[in-house]
Amino acid sequence: MHQSIRSRASALRAGAAGALLLAALACETPGVQKVATEEERLAYGEALASLPQDPATARQRLEAFIAAYPDGALADDAGEKLAAIALGEERSADAVRWLGWVVTEHPSGDRAEAARLSLAALARSRGDDAEAQRWLGGARFERMQPAQRFVGYRL
């Protein structure tokens, strides 16, 4: 019985973290942004084409996109999408890895602050308040949309 309650609580925390992540992903971060080339935009669109029907194919294509355009304007978007796919497949460690990649490899990118919020939400869902605060401590709230700031302040 205790295992069943723990499983439900774990599922609820994962669902809450997923909801916070999706809320953060839905908000674009304002600020100076790189401009994607036409080639990069087409490649990114092709990488996303199989979503939502075939996330495994999208994952492979997004990883190939990042390998081809690691410093591109859409690389951070691709990393964030890979994190969302990983969460949808209940692979939170991979989601954390991709979100961390967005923050470390594209700290000035338009998705960095959303990735920080998502990392904080995931840490909080695991009960790791110190890690959540570490991610929030580096967040630049002034670059966030109001909805993102609301999520960040609530964490």
Side-chain angles (χ1 to χ4, degrees):
M1 175 135 175
H2 291 288
Q3 192 69 322
S4 175
I5 292 171
R6 285 189 190 134
S7 295
R8 279 192 212 139
S10 178
L12 285 172
R13 280 194 305 276
L20 281 172
L21 174 67
L22 292 178
L25 292 177
C27 301
E28 291 195 26
T29 304
V32 178
Q33 299 176 15
K34 294 181 192 177
V35 177
T37 64
E38 182 67 21
E39 177 185 339
E40 185 182 358
R41 282 194 301 273
L42 289 172
Y44 185 67
E46 287 174 13
L48 295 178
S50 62
L51 284 176
Q53 299 84 0
D54 189 359
T57 297
R59 181 176 57 251
Q60 291 171 345
R61 290 178 179 172
L62 285 164
E63 288 172 351
F65 174 84
I66 287 174
Y69 303 94
D71 297 319
L74 297 173
D76 55 344
D77 296 74
E80 195 176 46
K81 273 294 186 211
L82 283 163
I85 291 169
L87 279 179
E89 295 173 342
E90 298 182 14
R91 295 181 298 109
S92 62
D94 285 339
V96 167
R97 181 175 58 86
W98 280 114
L99 291 167
W101 180 86
V102 170
V103 170
T104 58
E105 297 299 318
H106 296 274
S108 298
D110 67 331
R111 306 312 306 147
E113 302 317 309
R116 285 181 188 282
L117 288 177
S118 297
L119 284 162
L122 287 167
R124 182 66 46 88
S125 75
R126 292 189 312 269
D128 192 340
D129 292 342
E131 183 180 351
Q133 287 306 310
R134 183 175 65 83
W135 287 114
L136 289 174
R140 293 168 292 192
F141 285 85
E142 71 278 2
R143 292 189 61 203
M144 296 179 193
Q145 296 286 339
Q148 287 175 311
R149 282 193 293 269
F150 177 79
V151 170
Y153 292 142
R154 295 206 24 106
L155 288 172

